[in-house]
Amino acid sequence: ELGDFGVTQICVALKMSGAPIVELDVSTNELVHAGAVAAARLAAAKVGFTALNLDANYISDEGVEEVKSVLEGAGISAALMSMEENDADMADEVDDDQAASLNAMLDHLKI
């Protein structure tokens, strides 16, 4: 249950480390939007990436579409695993202070 902030921090650290990553499982972490996008951007930046698991989170339909767009742009749309248990109805907005911090971290993950 790392949430958007925790997953985004991990994704920034993994991208900056240069470590090879082919799979990422951040299912069941109470992600709503930023964390899911961070994971997708990390996946898109890694050569040979094959599997991204975002299931059982609270990602809005808009967030899912952005994730798909990021992966499609990188030519790895097949890497997104089933999101059958994602509950978009549980998506909450983050507060303004956390949103600013998350946006700054997401800038580090732009491709």
Side-chain angles (χ1 to χ4, degrees), residues 27-91:
S27 60
T28 317
N29 271 290
E30 297 183 359
L31 302 181
V32 287
H33 186 108
V37 171
R41 287 183 183 174
L42 174 65
K46 295 296 181 177
V47 176
F49 194 88
T50 61
L52 176 60
N53 187 352
L54 296 170
D55 202 19
N57 284 298
Y58 310 134
I59 306 163
S60 67
D61 293 337
E62 181 181 282
V64 171
E65 289 307 312
E66 187 171 351
V67 164
K68 287 179 180 178
S69 176
V70 168
L71 296 177
E72 285 173 11
I76 58 169
S77 57
L80 183 60
M81 298 175 72
S82 170
M83 293 185 63
E84 187 174 299
E85 305 224 359
N86 182 59
D87 189 354
D89 294 333
M90 292 292 292

